[in-house]
Amino acid sequence: MHSLFYVLFHPLNTLNLWLEDDPNASIVDVLYLFTTFSAFGIWLVFDRYQKAVNSAVPFRHPAPDAADPNWHSRVIPNANLRSHLQMPDLLPLQFGGGGRDYITCYDPATSLHLTSALADDARSIEGKIKRAKNAQVKWCETSFGERRRVMRSLLKWLVENQELCVRVVCRDSGKTMVDAALGEILTTCSKLEWLINHGERALRTETRYSNLMMTYKKSQVIYEPKGVVSAIVSWNYPLHNAWSPIIASIFAGNAIVLKASEHVIWSTEWFVGAIHKCLEVLGYDADIVQTVCCWPDQAEALTKSPLIKHITFIGSEEVGRKVAMAATEHLTPVTLELGGKDPAIILPDTDLRKWSSIWMRGIFQNSGQNCIGIERLIVHSEQYDELYDILTDRVAKLRFGSVLAPSREGYINTVDCGSMISNDRFEVLEELIFQAQEDGARVDVGGKELLHTSCEGRSYFQATVVGDVNPKSRIAQMELFGPIALLIKYDDIDDAITIANGTRYGLGASVFGPHQDLCIEVAKELHCGMVSVNDFGVFYLNQDLPFGGTKSSGYGRFGGPEGLRALTNPKAIVTDRWPSFVQTSIPKVLDYPIRSLVRSWDFIHGLIMLLYADGYRARFNGLVQLTKACR
């Protein structure tokens, strides 16, 4: 050991032992040095090989012109997805008719025209499914290491191009850059990281426990790719809702056909294009990822296809039911993530000012267009007035606008909330708020459409606080999906739990209070799929957790190991543990044709007693009966 330390810390002196007439010189010292440098050299070669094989590969994906804040385009009056029907000049120059339909893409915050996308019909959708199927044959043979490299490359690109991606999202959805970074970039990076670090563990072959009778057998479960899967996703998070099902599906060895929302097809095509570019640079067939752009009446070409082996749907309850019904055509399994009416229970003596920023973020992030956003604040009657004053004061100061609207300063940094995706539901929201007021609710802030003074878009709705809400009223039962805070009073904790569970939905929830043990007790009583204690929505930042709900919020999970395994076919394989020594044989007493019904019954009866009887004496008697039957 002394010689080893000597070699490590005095290598030059050790080498001089060959040159100097030193009586202490020893070949052992030189061997230590040679071994150390050899090991280091081997490690360098191995490390370089690992980096060459597994490290992220850079690639370039051209930025769209519309992502530039100084980009200009035509302002569409009363912009909607079918504006091209009233304004034919919005159609591309090469438009030649042929019965194909288009979708008008525009910035909802400014009404600027982005493009007019050709809508897929049933024939083109079928063609995309077949191309995905053909490409999947080779893709499913890739190793987890090769798939991880794809994930690493995508993660590297996303982190390095996060501002560009955020601007693309903002242009197509009207949200702010902060909301886009939190809801799109952060969550997608989290999922990519989880797949890189833990995806293989969730899908690798498992050895399962056996029993006494099967001791000589080895039982395993393998997770095979399903083939071609589909995802039909909503518009509220264009990047994440597209990438999340894609990366999970291809990591599991599948091909995927993504049906994006008509509202964000412009940005979705660009984001999926980055995945295509990544696959091509790494030498894989990009056809394993297909994008469908179609109107809802053409979606059955996807949901009823016999080639689609699994469907993930993110959207409204109404459409989710139609997808589930269509999937029964070929018994296609479906994961549904539908609406929510997420409550936040505020327990007595909670420090309201401490948590008010969390509630503001939970309610108004993405202008309330968040499936796990806080839709109901359930507060003790003694703290209601204080909370109402805190929220109305803060909500009245919220500023709406477009972060991509040109100005002398560049970005408009004073924007707190962006636009909604469209104004299609404004009439319903205003009616619900008015009806709540008629029933005794209090509205001092907001309550109607916001006509912006500097942005051309007509998709802004005022930030609203509705107090004294009846928990059984329509506004407290319907998913609002808008920048609206509802305050509901309760007198004791049991009432709060009853109110929280009193809707048809059960997606997420939050519990706030000064005592965590009590918060956990309340959380366990809530009928939902996910709960945050003294926080909001953090169960989605940990991608090792299953994501999904109960009741009318859907079924199945698309996060964590549960979600990844849902994209595979679990196959049980049982083999001989010691095939050269023990294998299954049929005892003569059970061999066909049965010689004696009495003896065969005694054998089976004794076997069951031996294996499962309660107590050693009963099991011993079973062994005796079994032995007698074998004579």
Side-chain angles (χ1 to χ4, degrees):
M1 184 61 70
H2 174 75
S3 299
L4 176 61
F5 284 132
Y6 187 81
V7 169
L8 290 176
F9 293 107
H10 303 282
L12 295 178
N13 193 30
T14 302
L15 288 175
N16 284 335
L17 296 178
W18 287 98
L19 305 176
E20 299 177 358
D21 187 15
D22 189 340
N24 296 321
S26 171
I27 190 63
V28 175
D29 290 333
V30 177
L31 287 176
Y32 275 130
L33 185 63
F34 177 77
T35 302
T36 300
F37 278 99
S38 297
F40 182 67
I42 293 172
W43 178 83
L44 283 177
V45 172
F46 179 77
D47 182 64
R48 179 168 293 183
Y49 172 78
Q50 290 295 319
K51 288 181 178 179
V53 174
N54 299 318
S55 62
V57 176
F59 63 91
R60 295 179 61 84
H61 186 46
D65 294 338
D68 189 334
N70 295 315
W71 175 78
H72 294 281
S73 180
R74 181 174 181 178
V75 176
I76 306 175
N78 299 315
N80 61 78
L81 298 176
R82 296 188 181 273
S83 289
H84 59 276
L85 298 179
Q86 290 78 40
M87 304 172 65
D89 54 335
L90 295 178
L91 293 171
L93 295 177
Q94 65 271 25
F95 171 65
R100 297 290 295 274
D101 204 349
Y102 280 78
I103 297 171
T104 302
C105 304
Y106 63 94
D107 179 348
T110 61
S111 290
L112 293 175
H113 179 239
L114 294 172
T115 189
S116 294
L118 181 65
D120 288 310
D121 56 15
R123 183 177 179 180
S124 62
I125 294 172
E126 290 171 3
K128 291 182 177 182
I129 297 173
K130 290 179 180 178
R131 286 198 293 275
K133 183 178 184 297
N134 293 335
Q136 192 269 340
V137 173
K138 188 173 181 180
W139 172 254
C140 71
E141 297 175 354
T142 57
S143 67
F144 284 117
E146 292 171 318
R147 298 173 198 172
R148 270 196 300 272
R149 195 178 197 191
V150 174
M151 302 299 124
R152 287 194 184 99
S153 302
L154 290 173
L155 180 58
K156 175 182 172 65
W157 180 86
L158 182 58
V159 172
E160 294 176 351
N161 294 274
Q162 56 181 296
E163 183 178 346
L164 171 60
C165 292
V166 162
R167 285 192 270 113
V168 171
V169 167
C170 293
R171 181 64 78 189
D172 208 14
S173 67
K175 66 178 64 178
T176 68
M177 293 186 70
V178 172
D179 286 351
L182 289 173
E184 309 271 10
I185 307 298
L186 197 63
T187 52
T188 306
C189 288
S190 178
K191 182 141 192 170
L192 284 165
E193 180 189 47
W194 182 83
L195 287 170
I196 292 168
N197 294 335
H198 307 292
E200 181 180 356
R201 183 184 62 183
L203 297 181
R204 68 164 60 118
T205 300
E206 288 184 311
T207 298
R208 295 294 179 90
Y209 295 111
S210 190
N211 52 35
L212 178 60
M213 182 172 60
M214 298 288 289
T215 303
Y216 68 102
K217 293 288 187 179
K218 184 178 181 180
S219 301
Q220 292 182 308
V221 176
I222 62 174
Y223 296 95
E224 297 180 331
K226 282 184 175 292
V228 182
V229 300
S230 173
I232 303 172
V233 296
S234 58
W235 43 259
N236 54 335
Y237 291 100
L239 189 161
H240 181 71
N241 285 353
W243 273 38
S244 178
I246 289 175
I247 59 180
S249 298
I250 64 176
F251 190 87
N254 300 305
I256 180 171
V257 181
L258 178 82
K259 193 278 181 190
S261 168
E262 314 87 77
H263 288 280
V264 291
I265 192 62
W266 174 78
S267 60
T268 301
E269 290 279 8
W270 187 78
F271 289 130
V272 175
I275 297 179
H276 285 162
K277 188 65 176 179
C278 177
L279 290 168
E280 291 169 358
V281 167
L282 288 170
Y284 303 115
D285 190 345
D287 276 349
I288 62 171
V289 179
Q290 299 286 332
T291 307
V292 167
C293 164
C294 72
W295 292 101
D297 57 359
Q298 297 292 331
E300 283 194 349
L302 195 61
T303 56
K304 290 189 175 183
S305 172
L307 300 180
I308 296 297
K309 303 303 180 183
H310 183 275
I311 300 173
T312 298
F313 175 81
I314 304 173
S316 69
E317 178 189 353
E318 178 185 1
V319 179
R321 291 180 181 275
K322 294 179 180 179
V323 170
M325 291 176 65
T328 61
E329 180 89 4
H330 297 285
L331 297 179
T332 307
V334 181
T335 294
L336 296 177
E337 193 269 279
L338 309 178
K341 193 69 177 174
D342 289 13
I345 296 179
I346 304 170
L347 297 178
D349 302 320
T350 298
D351 186 343
L352 301 181
R353 295 195 178 275
K354 176 181 179 181
W355 301 113
S356 60
S357 295
I358 294 285
W359 300 329
M360 289 290 292
R361 174 60 59 182
I363 297 167
F364 297 103
Q365 179 170 310
N366 206 26
S367 291
Q369 300 167 118
N370 190 356
C371 60
I372 54 172
I374 297 174
E375 291 235 356
R376 295 175 293 157
L377 287 170
I378 304 172
V379 59
H380 194 272
S381 54
E382 292 183 358
Q383 292 187 293
Y384 165 80
D385 290 334
E386 181 184 359
L387 180 58
Y388 185 85
D389 291 341
I390 291 173
L391 288 181
T392 52
D393 179 64
R394 297 188 64 164
V395 168
K397 298 174 182 177
L398 292 179
R399 296 151 295 190
F400 286 73
S402 169
V403 294
L404 296 183
S407 70
R408 294 178 181 176
E409 297 79 15
Y411 295 136
I412 300 178
N413 297 317
T414 54
V415 171
D416 300 303
C417 297
S419 73
M420 295 179 68
I421 196 67
S422 72
N423 58 12
D424 292 347
R425 297 184 62 252
F426 283 8
E427 186 176 335
V428 173
L429 294 178
E430 290 177 354
E431 179 188 348
L432 288 170
I433 293 170
F434 176 78
Q435 188 177 56
Q437 288 178 288
E438 291 288 297
D439 294 338
R442 179 183 177 186
V443 180
D444 294 326
V445 178
K448 58 183 179 181
E449 179 183 357
L450 171 63
L451 299 177
H452 207 282
T453 56
S454 61
C455 294
E456 297 285 347
R458 295 294 302 273
S459 299
Y460 295 96
F461 197 88
Q462 294 177 346
T464 305
V465 180
V466 185
D468 290 319
V469 174
N470 183 334
K472 296 183 179 180
S473 62
R474 286 183 64 208
I475 199 170
Q477 294 291 316
M478 290 180 58
E479 182 181 32
L480 302 181
F481 227 58
I484 302 170
L486 302 183
L487 274 66
I488 303 174
K489 297 178 184 177
Y490 73 89
D491 292 319
D492 61 63
I493 295 176
D494 288 339
D495 289 338
I497 296 172
T498 299
I499 293 170
N501 292 334
T503 72
R504 61 189 293 107
Y505 299 108
L507 190 55
S510 302
V511 182
F512 293 83
H515 307 292
Q516 181 163 291
D517 291 342
L518 179 58
C519 290
I520 295 174
E521 288 183 22
V522 173
K524 291 179 179 179
E525 296 295 322
L526 299 181
H527 302 160
C528 60
M530 305 157 292
V531 186
S532 293
V533 173
N534 284 330
D535 214 328
F536 150 70
V538 289
F539 39 71
Y540 198 57
L541 288 178
N542 181 358
Q543 286 290 322
D544 201 42
L545 296 174
F547 186 93
T550 62
K551 301 192 290 187
S552 291
S553 288
Y555 50 79
R557 299 293 185 267
F558 63 75
E562 294 84 355
L564 197 57
R565 289 175 177 176
L567 299 171
T568 65
N569 289 319
K571 178 183 290 184
I573 298 181
V574 181
T575 58
D576 291 311
R577 192 179 298 274
W578 308 289
S580 299
F581 300 99
V582 182
Q583 289 184 313
T584 299
S585 61
I586 303 298
K588 291 183 178 180
V589 68
L590 297 180
D591 200 8
Y592 289 122
I594 299 295
R595 301 177 183 180
S596 170
L597 182 59
V598 174
R599 293 185 65 186
S600 62
W601 168 252
D602 287 344
F603 180 89
I604 292 296
H605 183 270
L607 178 64
I608 294 173
M609 292 291 292
L610 171 63
L611 295 173
Y612 304 111
D614 184 17
Y616 290 108
R617 178 174 295 181
R619 292 196 177 197
F620 180 76
N621 292 336
L623 176 61
V624 172
Q625 183 176 345
L626 183 66
T627 304
K628 290 181 179 179
C630 289
R631 292 176 181 171

